[in-house]
Amino acid sequence: APASWDWRDHGAVSPVKNQGMCGSCWAFSVTGNIEGQWFLKNGSLLSLSEQELVDCDGLDQACRGGLPSNAYEAIEKLGGLEQETDYSYTGHKQNCNFATKKVAAYINSSVELSKDEKEITAWLAENGPISVALNAFAMQFYRKGVSHPLRIFCNPWMIDHAVLLVGYGERKGTPFWAIKNSWGEDYGEQGYYYLYRGSNACGINRMCSSAVVN
Amino acid sequence: DLDRPLFGPPGSAIRLHESDQGLKKALEFAEDRYNRGSNAMHLRKVSRFISATKQLVKGIRYTITVEVSNTQCKKSSMLKTCDFYRESQKLKTELCVFEVWDIPWQDTSTLLKQKCQPIVEPQIEETNKVEDQSNSQPLEESVALLGQFKEFLVKYNKVYSSQEEAERRLRIFHENLKTAEKLQSLDQGSAEYGVTKFSDLTEEEFRSTYLNPLLSQWTLHRPMKPAAPARSP
């Protein structure tokens, strides 16, 4: 894989969003991935609706949490995702008012990635931003820089937050993952969290997935 | 009902300026009660005003944060004007929080709370060694914490429903700062930890509001097709 890569430099990442007081990180992680996949296949970057998933994805639990693997399946069954502007985010569950005619992007299937960080790095550079999940304990206190918490603070089995891997590189010799979060732009570094790359820190390698757009 | 227009919604705390007449009366009452309750020889008076709020309850509740120091007057003397000592060691200054409940229509006041802690000055000995502060609660730390909390409230536009809630959030804020310091001291990367917009939330509140515990329930995960490995750079 190249020494560094950042899909923000290639137009495949929409602006940082804000999930508000709702556990809907899974929806933002998945829409972020599909935005990237749709861009790479069709050349247009859309901002896709998380609220549609919060309201209409019956496999998941809206603000009480959800799984990317379920969300991909729900999107396939629904027939696709509407744009953010057509189905805007409110941060709490409402009745589903999905409209097929407004579908802006669809997916054909979804895949799970290897748990080897080198493989993940190469896959990201070749295929686009990746939906991932990690232990977010340190993120409550994070302001900036490359975070590398001790394992006792970041149990890799206690995964509790889904985010989007958009790039990787090195800062002053410290390898990092660039992670798009969904807590608004006033969090971390303009909405991004940078995590040490190479030690499976915080379980970042455990739940990598992507939609497939033919 | 003259006071009502000067108050926010029932129960909300309103910040006061030092010159507020009601506050002056409450502060004099607190000072008097403080001196009656202490067995110090010298009369102690408010040497610096820090902050105060008032709240409409059955009457008015004042919450006042001030510094109190020794004057040169003995308690037994009936002198009206008393100067403070010039030497800081003799001042024996304390940071105090008083809560006074004032019932105007009965012309009575009650001291609900009095919390004071000494302000420790750095001790410079002949050898010019500065005493280690880490195991004591110096005022600077408290004032710095209050300053950080105030900055946090303004930056993230935080409003709390009552003085108690504000004090509870301050305690949580303080705990979170200590956790951030621990993370900072043990981090193996180049991260900076500290105050964020989540700094007034307990770990449990943060987890239940913003996180997604379903993710670590592995049995729920639907098996997915494995992705083909990357072909080439």
Side-chain angles (χ1 to χ4, degrees), chain B residues 40-170:
Chain B
M41 190 168 62
H42 285 89
L43 193 67
R44 294 174 62 77
K45 292 180 82 57
V46 171
S47 50
R48 187 166 149 247
F49 172 81
I50 293 179
S51 70
T53 61
K54 69 178 176 183
Q55 204 173 2
L56 184 63
V57 290
K58 284 199 192 67
I60 305 172
R61 182 166 64 195
Y62 293 91
T63 301
I64 310 162
T65 306
V66 289
E67 286 182 1
V68 177
S69 306
N70 266 343
T71 68
Q72 295 174 40
C73 296
K74 290 230 172 55
K75 265 186 184 169
S76 50
S77 71
M78 297 306 284
L79 291 175
K80 274 278 170 242
T81 55
C82 295
D83 291 333
F84 291 102
Y85 278 103
R86 252 189 281 292
E87 306 84 344
S88 62
Q89 280 88 339
K90 287 189 177 175
L91 277 174
K92 296 191 187 318
T93 302
E94 284 183 308
L95 173 72
C96 291
V97 174
F98 298 109
E99 267 190 25
V100 176
W101 182 24
D102 187 33
I103 306 178
W105 58 87
Q106 291 175 4
D107 197 21
T108 58
S109 296
T110 309
L111 184 63
L112 294 176
K113 185 196 280 186
Q114 171 182 308
K115 254 189 192 172
C116 295
Q117 66 173 43
I119 298 172
V120 178
E121 298 286 345
Q123 305 298 318
I124 309 288
E125 293 171 29
E126 274 71 270
T127 56
N128 275 337
K129 185 169 62 58
V130 175
E131 185 183 330
D132 177 5
Q133 303 290 328
S134 56
N135 54 9
S136 61
Q137 283 293 322
L139 172 65
E140 291 78 17
E141 244 188 56
S142 301
V143 175
L145 174 66
L146 275 175
Q148 274 184 294
F149 189 54
K150 207 170 171 188
E151 225 176 282
F152 164 77
L153 294 176
V154 170
K155 180 173 181 181
Y156 294 109
N157 200 20
K158 298 275 184 179
V159 176
Y160 302 118
S161 58
S162 68
Q163 182 69 24
E164 284 76 14
E165 179 62 7
E167 287 177 6
R168 179 170 166 271
R169 292 295 162 187
L170 174 60

Side-chain angles (χ1 to χ4, degrees), chain A residues 1-2 18-23 25-26 61 64-70 72-73 109-113 119 122-123 126 133 136-150 153 157-162 174 183-184 186-187 206-207 209-210, chain B residues 155-156 172 175-177 179-233:
Chain A
N18 195 335
Q19 65 190 66
M21 297 179 76
C22 170
C25 59
W26 54 278
Q61 301 181 21
R64 287 184 299 111
L67 296 173
S69 51
N70 287 346
Y72 296 126
E73 186 177 335
S109 68
S110 58
V111 288
E112 186 171 5
L113 273 61
E119 278 281 331
W123 199 96
E126 186 171 278
F137 175 77
M139 292 177 74
Q140 180 180 0
F141 311 97
Y142 171 81
R143 291 168 60 85
K144 60 182 179 183
V146 177
S147 173
H148 188 183
L150 274 187
F153 291 123
W157 293 96
M158 292 287 291
I159 305 292
D160 51 18
H161 187 43
T174 306
W183 292 344
D186 62 346
Y187 169 79
R206 304 208 60 76
M207 199 181 295
S209 64
S210 173
Chain B
K155 180 173 181 181
Y156 294 109
I172 294 170
E175 286 306 309
N176 281 336
L177 274 186
T179 305
E181 277 165 19
K182 206 177 292 174
L183 269 170
Q184 186 73 69
S185 62
L186 295 171
D187 195 76
Q188 306 159 92
S190 61
E192 179 187 310
Y193 300 97
V195 175
T196 70
K197 60 182 176 182
F198 305 116
S199 289
D200 63 344
L201 299 180
T202 62
E203 190 184 329
E204 189 41 45
E205 283 169 331
F206 175 71
R207 174 180 295 281
S208 59
T209 308
Y210 293 97
L211 298 187
N212 177 2
L214 276 188
L215 285 166
S216 50
Q217 294 182 35
W218 299 96
T219 50
L220 294 178
H221 287 231
R222 183 178 62 86
M224 298 167 75
K225 276 185 305 188
R231 286 185 301 279
S232 65

Side-chain angles (χ1 to χ4, degrees), chain A residues 68-101:
Chain A
S69 51
N70 287 346
Y72 296 126
E73 186 177 335
I75 292 166
E76 285 176 65
K77 283 179 181 159
L78 280 165
L81 285 174
E82 295 184 30
Q83 290 202 67
E84 198 88 61
T85 45
D86 287 334
Y87 201 144
S88 51
Y89 188 69
T90 63
H92 53 270
K93 187 174 171 56
Q94 308 159 137
N95 291 333
C96 174
N97 65 352
F98 172 73
T100 305
K101 65 180 185 313

Side-chain angles (χ1 to χ4, degrees), chain A residues 1-148:
Chain A
S4 65
W5 192 267
D6 194 325
W7 281 109
R8 288 171 290 184
D9 302 332
H10 299 274
V13 183
S14 65
V16 167
K17 303 178 184 181
N18 195 335
Q19 65 190 66
M21 297 179 76
C22 170
S24 54
C25 59
W26 54 278
F28 287 82
S29 174
V30 165
T31 55
N33 166 261
I34 295 172
E35 285 167 358
Q37 291 301 305
W38 189 262
F39 170 75
L40 287 170
K41 288 293 184 318
N42 296 282
S44 63
L45 177 64
L46 303 175
S47 181
L48 299 171
S49 171
E50 294 77 22
Q51 193 63 39
E52 177 186 326
L53 290 175
V54 169
D55 295 347
C56 309
D57 168 355
L59 297 173
D60 288 305
Q61 301 181 21
C63 289
R64 287 184 299 111
L67 296 173
S69 51
N70 287 346
Y72 296 126
E73 186 177 335
I75 292 166
E76 285 176 65
K77 283 179 181 159
L78 280 165
L81 285 174
E82 295 184 30
Q83 290 202 67
E84 198 88 61
T85 45
D86 287 334
Y87 201 144
S88 51
Y89 188 69
T90 63
H92 53 270
K93 187 174 171 56
Q94 308 159 137
N95 291 333
C96 174
N97 65 352
F98 172 73
T100 305
K101 65 180 185 313
K102 289 184 182 174
V103 164
Y106 62 85
I107 66 172
N108 299 97
S109 68
S110 58
V111 288
E112 186 171 5
L113 273 61
S114 155
K115 291 183 175 44
D116 175 276
E117 267 189 300
K118 286 193 175 56
E119 278 281 331
I120 297 167
T121 308
W123 199 96
L124 181 138
E126 186 171 278
N127 296 289
I130 301 171
S131 166
V132 295
L134 76 169
N135 179 316
F137 175 77
M139 292 177 74
Q140 180 180 0
F141 311 97
Y142 171 81
R143 291 168 60 85
K144 60 182 179 183
V146 177
S147 173
H148 188 183

